[in-house]
Amino acid sequence: MSDGKYFSTTKRGEIHELKEELRSLDRPKKKDAVKKVIAAMTVGKDVSMLFPDVVNCMQTDDLELKKLVYLYLINYAKTQPDLAIMAVNTFVKDSQDPNPLIRALAVRTMGCIRVDKITEYLCDPLQRCLKDDDPYVRKTAAVCVAKLYDINPELVEDRGFLDMLREMLSDANPMVVANALAALQEIQELAGPGKDLLQMNSQTLNKLLAALNECTEWGQVFILDSLAAYDTRDPKDAEKIAERVLPRLQHVNSAVVLSAVKVILRCMDVVALGPGGGEETIKAWSKKMAPPLVTLLAAEPEVQYVALRNISLIVQRRPAILANEVKVFFCKYNDPLYVKMEKLEIMIRLASDKNIDQVLLELKEYAQEVDVDFVRKSVRAIGRCAVALDKATERCINVLLELIQTKVSYVVQEAIIVIKDIFRRYPNQYESIIATLCDNLDSLDEPEAKSSMIWIIGEYAERIDNADELMAAFLETFPEESSMVQLQLLTATVKLFLKKPTEAAQKMISAVLSCATNETDSPDLRDRAFIYWRLLSTDPEAAKDVVLAEKPVIADDSSSLDPSLLDQLVTRYLATVAAVYHRPPETFVSRQRLAVARAEELGSRKFEEEDGATAGNLVSDNNAAAAAGAAAAASASAVGDLLDLSEPSPAPAAHAAAAPAAPAARGLDDLLGGLDLGGGGVPAPAPSTSSAASDPFASFGGAPSAAAAAAAAGISPAALSQLPVLLTTPGGVSVCGRLVRQGGQVAYLLALRNDTAAPVDGLMIQTNRNSFGLSPVSQVLALPPPGALPPGGVTVPVRVPLAVDGTKVTPPPLGTGLQVALRTNQVGVLYFNDAVPLAAITEEGGTMEAADFLNAWKALPPEASARLPLAVPSADVAKQRLAAANLFVLAHRQVPATGQDAIYATCRISAGGIGQVLLELKFVAGAGGVDVSVKAERQDVSQLVFDGLPAVLLGTA
């Protein structure tokens, strides 16, 4: 059967079902469950809450199942290192597995865990794998060294991994050589230009050239990149490299072809420094490079575009390579616009006196296409050819005049723009066509075209008989024109006045200067007008010298790159994204590295709320506790108190006395290190005296009874017995609890039971970011003396006050889920999910006047409505239960002819910034079904009410 079946489920409770299947003893059923998990992960669903159950499946001899589990681990190791840390012991064990595939998977996955102190567990397996007998393991380990260097460079250097990588360049397997080289290149980039980690010499060069023919295509790319970066000044070395690289031009992979071109271009530069300039050698190489570059244009449009952007750089650097291939770049009718535009650029660069007739014929055809942008670009291309090739200028102008005769508005305007540039490039040569341009003034409606025509009229006013009339026509709309046109009009009018100082010109200049100085908001226009005014009023001859001065001849450099940038892009970045952007990488690539998680930060791990789930279990397994404990033992002496990070959190006075004193540091197993404890972790019980040594539980002899402890915590025995189960761990710590509202404050009533054989201490609690910003006032659990959970299944109640922390509020949509982490010294970190009930967050002072309710109901967005499948005994009972949950009843009436009661109530929820909520309830007493309508500023509040109201009306809130 096809694996597509694993993607087909849409059940709301599938996470719970997957948990059960992952824990199944039936191997095929377990494997199917892992496949479903991988399928869910593939389509983007967060299945990280299944991590402990998936990790437990690693202990298997089934190779397929182990591969699936590692696939899951590799995916979540990068984004959730705190989860992957739980499987470190298994990684270390699998790195010595007889199967080389398992060994490689283990070391690859360990390299993905970006947790600083866990890297020391990676070193020994990595050292073994770098010298493994199997080349697959060695090549995987080589890449892992680069990942480890990104996390801890000093550790890589101290353990000699860089020397081992350099030794691997002599490996008999070409893929190992390629991966070792790729790792060294990555490390070199991380280390910066100050260190030469690759240490390329003639011996290393020969090894890389020998491996080049046998590598995979991407291995060849890495080797070619290193050859391009090899700095040699010996023309013989360059020739040797080029001769070995030339066969790569025939490769089917375009990346290999472009990388080979980069190496050969680099060799050309070196050979050109040799005797005689190496002209014959360079010419021979150029002939061999042209066909592969042309072949790249036979690929799909996206690859064509990348190839064209690279070819554009090559043509700017060495146009002779493709000088005879201009026809290849003629546009096809079905080319995408972005490909056509790039082809036009290259056609302009390759245009010469020999092929200009063919190019002009092609451009003229393009100028009559239907795509406006392409037509504009084609007309401009004709003008650029005229500017670049003085012998072909007249032919280009003739083509432009033919296009002007088409009377197509945007064609005429583009032609006028480029003819202005031709006039500037060749002054006093082609002014005879001005009369034709003046006949098409009615077609001008774009600012650039208008300003070009105005420049022509002003520049050649003495040759245009009716220049003053033409200028007057433009000046009629002076105030409404764009800034570009206004500036050009101002300068052209001054030129007209200086060249033909007639009465009409004098009136025009007065009107323009007056308008530009008094009626404009543009500072550039106003300043220029004042300068002209003062020049004309003080010294007209000086004004002529300034305004009518001879202008420098322009050149076509509109798309040419700076020579140093071009050299950098061709020799270093050809066949990379930088060559596509025509920009150096530092201008668009952030050099920020991925964050390396510290062990003490893992407590702030991000959970993604499961869609449709309410309560569930997410428990760390034995591997997690073992790994965390091992990390602590290895680094406690060096790390110090990882929890001593901030000022103490404020705690209510009633519980401050019960909080135990802070102990010494515990080290890396403080996985909730983000907790604000001020002095450190939670203490273990004081060492027992010699008299108690015979009874390991003697310290609990004075522990209060369950009833006394519940009373001390403010929990009635009845409430204690009704707390729902949140987490069940056979033989471990179990948790029952509920969120309630007591004394105007949200509190967590918890009942903790220790089923282990030893006391459990060091209890701390933390909540993940949630829709209401609920967070413990103090993360230290105030347990009754002696501050620990006694063994033997004794239930200990505890009350945890919660406060609203605005920094922990998640963005919309609103969700009732609450994810909680409970840290212990003995059994590690326990995770469980809960839901925030409506009655816990509605505030005591949330009532309002009936008139205000009516006005708010009219003003708020449309209500959301739902029917709740429950029966309410009577309206009075409903009002009592609503009031008990801080839902204030403002009105109650009978709905005529229906037998229904209608109750109008309101509440206020400040947590999460929700605000006032208005409710309408309609029901028949004793009958099934309550119709509820909700109005609030936020539309997503309605689901919170629909989910929480049944418990309120049934009296179970």
Side-chain angles (χ1 to χ4, degrees):
M1 185 181 291
S2 169
D3 285 347
K5 64 179 181 179
Y6 299 114
F7 293 85
S8 60
T9 179
T10 56
K11 298 177 183 176
R12 289 177 64 83
E14 70 172 308
I15 295 296
H16 178 72
E17 292 180 8
L18 287 172
K19 281 179 181 283
E20 296 300 321
E21 292 177 15
L22 288 169
R23 296 170 183 172
S24 172
L25 299 178
D26 184 5
R27 182 175 290 181
K29 188 176 181 180
K30 181 182 291 188
K31 188 188 294 185
D32 274 359
V34 176
K35 287 182 178 180
K36 291 177 184 176
V37 172
I38 298 297
M41 181 181 77
T42 303
V43 298
K45 184 170 183 179
D46 181 18
V47 287
S48 60
M49 66 286 294
L50 297 172
F51 194 93
D53 303 288
V54 176
V55 169
N56 285 335
C57 299
M58 292 176 68
Q59 308 299 331
T60 178
D61 297 329
D62 188 326
L63 182 59
E64 183 185 5
L65 179 57
K66 191 176 280 284
K67 286 180 182 178
L68 290 169
V69 174
Y70 267 108
L71 184 62
Y72 176 91
L73 288 175
I74 287 175
N75 183 69
Y76 281 108
K78 296 176 182 177
T79 57
Q80 304 196 39
D82 54 324
L83 296 180
I85 194 177
M86 299 158 64
V88 167
N89 286 348
T90 309
F91 297 150
V92 176
K93 178 181 175 183
D94 281 352
S95 68
Q96 304 178 58
D97 193 275
N99 189 321
L101 185 61
I102 299 299
R103 298 199 298 274
L105 283 172
V107 76
R108 175 188 298 165
T109 309
M110 290 181 74
C112 293
I113 307 176
R114 301 185 61 81
V115 182
D116 56 347
K117 294 300 177 182
I118 302 305
T119 54
E120 57 195 63
Y121 290 94
L122 174 60
C123 291
D124 290 336
L126 182 57
Q127 205 151 20
R128 285 194 302 268
C129 291
L130 286 169
K131 297 180 179 179
D132 199 279
D133 294 334
D134 192 282
Y136 180 77
V137 179
R138 295 200 300 276
K139 80 179 187 70
T140 305
V143 176
C144 192
V145 173
K147 296 179 181 178
L148 181 59
Y149 188 90
D150 192 27
I151 299 171
N152 194 333
E154 295 80 9
L155 184 64
V156 171
E157 295 175 5
D158 294 343
R159 296 296 291 260
F161 288 137
L162 295 179
D163 294 330
M164 295 177 74
L165 280 181
R166 284 190 281 266
E167 291 173 7
M168 291 173 75
L169 295 178
S170 305
D171 198 280
N173 187 288
M175 272 311 302
V176 176
V177 175
N179 277 28
L181 183 61
L184 284 169
Q185 288 177 348
E186 180 71 20
I187 293 171
Q188 178 69 67
E189 187 173 348
L190 292 171
K195 294 183 179 180
D196 182 15
L197 301 179
L198 188 55
Q199 299 176 4
M200 282 280 285
N201 52 40
S202 58
Q203 186 179 3
T204 308
L205 178 66
N206 290 330
K207 293 173 185 175
L208 295 180
L209 290 172
L212 183 61
N213 293 336
E214 302 175 29
C215 280
T216 64
E217 50 197 19
W218 296 114
Q220 292 181 37
V221 170
F222 287 125
I223 293 177
L224 290 169
D225 285 346
S226 66
L227 294 176
Y230 179 49
D231 187 14
T232 178
R233 298 296 175 185
D234 187 352
K236 292 183 179 180
D237 276 353
E239 288 187 30
K240 181 178 72 172
I241 293 172
E243 291 301 326
R244 298 289 291 273
V245 170
L246 279 169
R248 299 300 99 205
L249 294 174
Q250 312 303 322
H251 202 282
V252 68
N253 188 305
S254 54
V256 176
V257 174
L258 285 173
S259 295
V261 168
K262 175 168 60 177
V263 176
I264 296 170
L265 288 172
R266 180 78 178 87
C267 293
M268 283 182 174
D269 293 340
V270 178
V271 169
L273 301 175
E279 291 183 7
E280 292 300 321
T281 303
I282 292 174
K283 189 175 180 180
W285 290 352
S286 298
K287 287 183 178 179
K288 292 180 180 180
M289 290 169 65
L293 291 172
V294 169
T295 305
L296 293 177
L297 301 182
E300 54 270 20
E302 294 80 6
V303 177
Q304 279 189 57
Y305 178 75
V306 174
L308 288 166
R309 294 291 284 177
N310 283 271
I311 289 171
S312 178
L313 295 174
I314 296 169
V315 169
Q316 288 183 60
R317 183 70 179 276
R318 292 194 175 272
I321 293 175
L322 291 166
N324 299 321
E325 305 291 344
V326 68
K327 286 186 177 181
V328 175
F329 301 99
F330 287 176
C331 300
K332 299 176 183 177
Y333 74 95
N334 59 347
D335 280 340
L337 180 61
Y338 57 89
V339 171
K340 289 181 177 180
M341 294 296 196
E342 286 305 314
K343 285 186 174 181
L344 276 179
E345 283 292 330
I346 297 173
M347 284 171 61
I348 296 168
R349 298 189 189 285
L350 294 178
S352 64
D353 295 334
K354 295 179 181 179
N355 59 28
I356 188 62
D357 290 331
Q358 290 178 311
V359 172
L360 284 178
L361 188 62
E362 196 72 14
L363 292 176
K364 184 179 176 182
E365 291 292 329
Y366 301 160
Q368 299 174 48
E369 295 275 351
V370 294
D371 190 307
V372 176
D373 291 335
F374 184 48
V375 170
R376 290 178 184 274
K377 184 85 170 180
S378 302
V379 176
R380 293 215 177 194
I382 297 172
R384 288 176 58 187
C385 288
V387 171
L389 303 171
D390 53 349
K391 294 181 180 180
T393 304
E394 190 168 349
R395 282 172 280 179
C396 294
I397 289 177
N398 290 334
V399 172
L400 290 171
L401 291 175
E402 290 179 30
L403 293 175
I404 288 175
Q405 297 306 319
T406 63
K407 302 296 183 181
V408 178
S409 174
Y410 52 87
V411 174
V412 173
Q413 296 189 84
E414 288 297 325
I416 289 175
I417 292 170
V418 298
I419 287 173
K420 178 204 72 173
D421 292 334
I422 294 173
F423 285 169
R424 294 184 63 190
R425 176 69 176 84
Y426 307 104
N428 303 316
Q429 292 188 38
Y430 302 103
E431 286 75 11
S432 58
I433 66 171
I434 292 177
T436 305
L437 303 183
C438 292
D439 292 338
N440 292 275
L441 295 183
D442 294 340
S443 302
L444 307 181
D445 55 16
E446 295 177 5
E448 190 175 3
K450 281 186 176 181
S451 60
S452 297
M453 191 65 223
I454 293 166
W455 180 89
I456 293 172
I457 295 172
E459 189 70 17
Y460 300 101
E462 72 279 8
R463 303 190 185 190
I464 304 173
D465 295 335
N466 61 338
D468 51 352
E469 296 177 8
L470 298 177
M471 195 66 68
F474 282 111
L475 289 173
E476 289 177 0
T477 57
F478 181 85
E480 292 81 29
E481 297 291 354
S482 65
S483 178
M484 176 193 295
V485 177
Q486 287 179 332
L487 286 167
Q488 198 61 255
L489 271 172
L490 175 60
T491 303
T493 306
V494 173
K495 287 180 181 179
L496 176 64
F497 174 72
L498 292 173
K499 290 183 177 185
K500 299 173 68 174
T502 62
E503 185 178 351
Q506 188 171 358
K507 289 181 180 179
M508 278 192 285
I509 192 65
S510 299
V512 169
L513 290 175
S514 176
C515 182
T517 54
N518 298 323
E519 301 177 16
T520 182
D521 295 328
S522 170
D524 292 338
L525 181 64
R526 187 168 56 247
D527 290 348
R528 185 181 295 190
F530 276 125
I531 290 172
Y532 285 153
W533 201 331
R534 286 167 185 163
L535 272 173
L536 293 171
S537 60
T538 55
D539 190 349
E541 291 301 319
K544 281 187 179 182
D545 293 338
V546 172
V547 179
L548 303 181
E550 186 175 345
K551 297 166 187 62
V553 175
I554 66 166
D556 178 34
D557 59 354
S558 56
S559 297
S560 296
L561 295 173
D562 180 80
S564 60
L565 174 59
L566 178 62
D567 182 70
Q568 185 182 17
L569 291 174
V570 171
T571 57
R572 294 182 57 191
Y573 299 121
L574 205 67
T576 66
V577 178
V580 178
Y581 286 164
H582 288 187
R583 293 163 54 194
E586 55 269 19
T587 63
F588 62 88
V589 175
S590 170
R591 292 298 181 186
Q592 293 178 351
R593 294 160 56 186
L594 287 172
V596 178
R598 301 196 172 276
E600 64 267 26
E601 296 169 354
L602 296 183
S604 59
R605 65 186 291 261
K606 287 191 175 183
F607 302 88
E608 293 293 335
E609 184 177 355
E610 176 192 345
D611 183 22
T614 53
N617 300 334
L618 182 59
V619 191
S620 59
D621 63 348
N622 292 333
N623 281 338
S635 58
S637 61
V639 176
D641 188 354
L642 296 179
L643 293 176
D644 191 11
L645 300 177
S646 58
E647 294 298 322
S649 296
H655 301 284
R666 275 187 30 84
L668 282 175
D669 56 343
D670 286 340
L671 293 182
L672 290 178
L675 304 181
D676 298 330
L677 300 181
V682 177
S688 57
T689 61
S690 58
S691 62
S694 59
D695 182 6
F697 306 128
S699 61
F700 294 100
S705 66
I715 308 174
S716 67
L720 185 64
S721 63
Q722 294 176 1
L723 293 179
V725 176
L726 299 176
L727 174 65
T728 302
T729 309
V733 174
S734 299
V735 181
C736 299
R738 175 185 286 121
L739 283 164
V740 298
R741 190 169 190 86
Q742 292 181 343
Q745 182 183 39
V746 183
Y748 221 149
L749 304 185
L750 297 176
L752 309 177
R753 189 178 76 250
N754 177 15
D755 292 322
T756 67
V760 174
D761 58 21
L763 275 79
M764 295 182 291
I765 191 170
Q766 182 61 289
T767 58
N768 194 26
R769 297 173 69 237
N770 54 82
S771 293
F772 310 102
L774 295 177
S775 180
V777 172
S778 172
Q779 290 85 5
V780 181
L781 290 189
L783 297 175
L789 299 179
V794 176
T795 298
V796 176
V798 60
R799 180 180 181 275
V800 181
L802 302 180
V804 176
D805 183 353
T807 63
K808 299 192 72 171
V809 176
T810 57
L814 195 67
T816 59
L818 183 67
Q819 294 162 327
V820 186
L822 186 66
R823 180 263 196 201
T824 67
N825 284 347
Q826 283 72 28
V827 296
V829 184
L830 309 176
Y831 302 104
F832 56 89
N833 297 328
D834 200 356
V836 179
L838 179 64
I841 53 176
T842 51
E843 299 174 6
E844 287 73 8
T847 187
M848 62 193 306
E849 296 295 329
D852 295 335
F853 180 95
L854 184 59
N855 293 333
W857 188 274
K858 294 177 180 177
L860 287 171
E863 70 268 20
S865 302
R867 185 173 180 82
L868 306 181
L870 54 91
V872 179
S874 68
D876 291 337
V877 171
K879 288 191 286 186
Q880 291 175 2
R881 291 174 177 174
L882 290 170
N886 292 330
L887 292 161
F888 299 95
V889 177
L890 302 179
H892 170 218
R893 66 182 179 86
Q894 295 288 329
V895 181
T898 63
Q900 287 185 317
D901 286 280
I903 293 178
Y904 298 91
T906 186
C907 65
R908 185 171 64 243
I909 304 173
S910 296
I914 294 172
Q916 203 73 26
V917 182
L918 313 182
L919 297 86
E920 179 190 55
L921 289 75
K922 292 181 178 180
F923 57 90
V924 176
V930 178
D931 295 316
V932 182
S933 297
V934 180
K935 278 198 172 191
E937 289 287 349
R938 289 178 54 172
Q939 296 292 307
D940 54 358
V941 175
S942 56
Q943 193 58 47
L944 168 68
V945 176
F946 298 150
D947 291 342
L949 205 54
V952 173
L953 294 175
L954 294 174
T956 60

